[in-house]
Amino acid sequence: MPNRTPRVLYIDDDPGLARLVQKAMERRGYLFEHAATGEAGLARIALGGIDVVVLDHYLPTGTGLDVLAAMATLSDHPAVVYVTGSAETAVAVAALKSGASDYVAKSLDDDLMELLASAIDHAVERVRLNRAKLLAEREIREARERAEMLLGEVNHRVANSLAMVAALVGLQANAVQNAEAKNALAETQARISAIAGVHRHLYTSDDVRTVEIGDYLRSLAGELDASMKAAGHHALINVEAVSFPLATEKAASVGVIVTELVTNAMKYAYRDTQQGEVRIRLVRVGEGVELRVEDDGIGWDGTGTPQGTGLGSRIVKAMAHSLGATVSYGGGGGTSVSLRFAG
């Protein structure tokens, strides 16, 4: 109600009292309107612009409580000062429970106008504060929606830019002749694609602060499967991942870890047979998350010299550190790598 004169609607079938109330309200600088019935009052309220309703209990049809009940369906209804007989305490209590902000006992002395005016003043201030609060909440909500829309657009552009970088790295890998350099560039391309996938999921998500990790891992596994098969590695990738929102930065770290572990398994676990399975498993464990990547290949327990340059193992440890997790290697046949972190 900023910069606007408050408007008071008086609902009562007593024209004499209505004139007295009108004079008292106009002396205080309020705009005044009168409705003789509850139906007329509700019709006027529905048009909007009323800040405070002064509502008499006894009306030509029904009572003021009926009007209060009808007003309860309005999203932004005026404050109500309920007027009752001096001995009708139970009615006043019922009115307050039904949504009235205050009540005044009707009397024949001069105090009635002063009490009524004071109650209306308080109601006007309450309406002013409530509407200011609603306005602030709406502005905050709209600002948040604009920020999320802009952040979604940023993620869209970042995903596209990273995809372009990954494609350029792939072209460079195809152009070089040295096998070691070609492999290094292909691995770099996979790492960039994993992070691009996070941003791609962010701009299609309702909440840009999180990624649905199960959906993301299944999408990532599909991309890894296609790229590894193109490189001549044909092990099957199997994903078992529950779907829940995971913070963006954690999802990016998980994506890089999975990319490294799956790539290593595809390249080294089944080097002789080219057949087998790589399993990605991500589940909730209490308040945390457990990630496990395993295969049935030649096996490695995390000790000794790793296959290749060892860069992948160092990247996995660095990403695990960012998650506050420790990498563990399981025993038995094949390789099993697991880590737990707060979800």
Side-chain angles (χ1 to χ4, degrees), residues 25 67 87-88 96 127 138 143 173 207 238 247 263 266 270:
M25 294 304 98
V67 176
E88 295 173 324
L96 293 174
V127 169
R138 185 173 69 248
D207 185 355
N238 187 293
T263 301
M266 297 282 276
Y270 304 110

Side-chain angles (χ1 to χ4, degrees), residues 82-88 92 103-109 111-112 115:
Y82 206 79
V83 180
T84 69
S86 58
E88 295 173 324
Y103 77 95
V104 173
K106 185 184 292 188
S107 62
L108 299 177
D109 54 35
D111 290 339
L112 173 61
L115 291 172

Side-chain angles (χ1 to χ4, degrees), residues 1 25 28 30 51-52 79-81 101-104 114-130:
M1 205 162 41
M25 294 304 98
R28 289 180 176 264
Y30 296 152
D51 301 300
V52 179
V80 176
V81 176
S101 59
D102 202 351
Y103 77 95
V104 173
E114 189 62 33
L115 291 172
L116 189 58
S118 177
I120 292 172
D121 288 342
H122 290 148
V124 165
E125 185 60 26
R126 178 177 297 182
V127 169
R128 193 189 309 274
L129 291 173
N130 286 341

Side-chain angles (χ1 to χ4, degrees), residues 29-147:
Y30 296 152
L31 299 175
F32 179 86
E33 294 187 30
H34 175 231
T37 67
E39 293 80 4
L42 287 170
R44 177 60 189 88
I45 293 168
L47 296 175
I50 300 298
D51 301 300
V52 179
V53 172
V54 180
L55 179 59
D56 191 42
H57 178 61
Y58 292 107
L59 298 171
T61 57
T63 68
L65 294 176
D66 299 321
V67 176
L68 277 174
M71 288 177 61
T73 61
L74 302 176
S75 58
D76 182 24
H77 59 72
V80 176
V81 176
Y82 206 79
V83 180
T84 69
S86 58
E88 295 173 324
T89 305
V91 172
V93 171
L96 293 174
K97 289 182 177 179
S98 298
S101 59
D102 202 351
Y103 77 95
V104 173
K106 185 184 292 188
S107 62
L108 299 177
D109 54 35
D110 295 335
D111 290 339
L112 173 61
M113 288 301 112
E114 189 62 33
L115 291 172
L116 189 58
S118 177
I120 292 172
D121 288 342
H122 290 148
V124 165
E125 185 60 26
R126 178 177 297 182
V127 169
R128 193 189 309 274
L129 291 173
N130 286 341
R131 289 181 178 172
K133 178 184 175 184
L134 290 173
L135 177 62
E137 290 174 347
R138 185 173 69 248
E139 289 175 346
I140 291 172
R141 184 171 58 253
E142 290 173 351
R144 184 175 64 247
E145 290 172 353
R146 286 194 299 270

Side-chain angles (χ1 to χ4, degrees), residues 279-308:
R279 295 178 292 278
I280 304 169
R281 185 172 183 268
L282 185 136
V283 295
R284 286 280 200 184
V285 180
E287 297 296 320
V289 180
E290 180 182 78
L291 171 67
R292 184 183 301 273
V293 178
E294 56 188 8
D295 60 65
D296 303 314
I298 61 175
W300 188 54
D301 62 3
T303 61
T305 303
Q307 298 279 359

Side-chain angles (χ1 to χ4, degrees), residues 14-263:
D14 185 337
L17 189 56
R19 284 193 293 272
L20 292 175
V21 175
Q22 179 177 1
K23 290 179 181 178
M25 294 304 98
E26 290 176 346
R27 280 198 300 269
R28 289 180 176 264
Y30 296 152
L31 299 175
F32 179 86
E33 294 187 30
H34 175 231
T37 67
E39 293 80 4
L42 287 170
R44 177 60 189 88
I45 293 168
L47 296 175
I50 300 298
D51 301 300
V52 179
V53 172
V54 180
L55 179 59
D56 191 42
H57 178 61
Y58 292 107
L59 298 171
T61 57
T63 68
L65 294 176
D66 299 321
V67 176
L68 277 174
M71 288 177 61
T73 61
L74 302 176
S75 58
D76 182 24
H77 59 72
V80 176
V81 176
Y82 206 79
V83 180
T84 69
S86 58
E88 295 173 324
T89 305
V91 172
V93 171
L96 293 174
K97 289 182 177 179
S98 298
S101 59
D102 202 351
Y103 77 95
V104 173
K106 185 184 292 188
S107 62
L108 299 177
D109 54 35
D110 295 335
D111 290 339
L112 173 61
M113 288 301 112
E114 189 62 33
L115 291 172
L116 189 58
S118 177
I120 292 172
D121 288 342
H122 290 148
V124 165
E125 185 60 26
R126 178 177 297 182
V127 169
R128 193 189 309 274
L129 291 173
N130 286 341
R131 289 181 178 172
K133 178 184 175 184
L134 290 173
L135 177 62
E137 290 174 347
R138 185 173 69 248
E139 289 175 346
I140 291 172
R141 184 171 58 253
E142 290 173 351
R144 184 175 64 247
E145 290 172 353
R146 286 194 299 270
E148 290 179 349
M149 182 180 67
L150 290 173
L151 188 54
E153 179 61 24
V154 168
N155 281 308
H156 191 181
R157 296 189 180 192
V158 169
N160 287 344
S161 296
L162 288 173
M164 183 180 296
V165 172
L168 292 173
V169 172
L171 290 174
Q172 187 65 57
N174 293 332
V176 299
Q177 300 300 318
N178 183 277
E180 186 176 340
K182 187 182 290 287
N183 289 336
L185 288 170
E187 290 173 1
T188 299
Q189 182 184 23
R191 292 163 188 147
I192 296 171
S193 295
I195 298 172
V198 170
H199 290 278
R200 189 162 55 249
H201 275 73
L202 283 175
Y203 74 73
T204 58
S205 170
D206 292 333
D207 185 355
V208 294
R209 297 166 299 179
T210 62
V211 172
E212 285 294 328
I213 190 64
D215 295 340
Y216 167 61
L217 286 181
R218 281 182 280 273
S219 175
L220 177 61
E223 294 174 4
L224 289 172
D225 183 64
S227 63
M228 295 307 293
K229 282 181 178 176
H233 304 285
H234 299 286
L236 175 67
I237 302 177
N238 187 293
V239 181
E240 180 187 344
V242 294
S243 191
F244 61 90
L246 186 66
T248 303
E249 63 278 6
K250 292 185 177 182
S253 296
V254 168
V256 173
I257 289 171
V258 169
T259 297
E260 296 299 327
L261 295 176
V262 170
T263 301

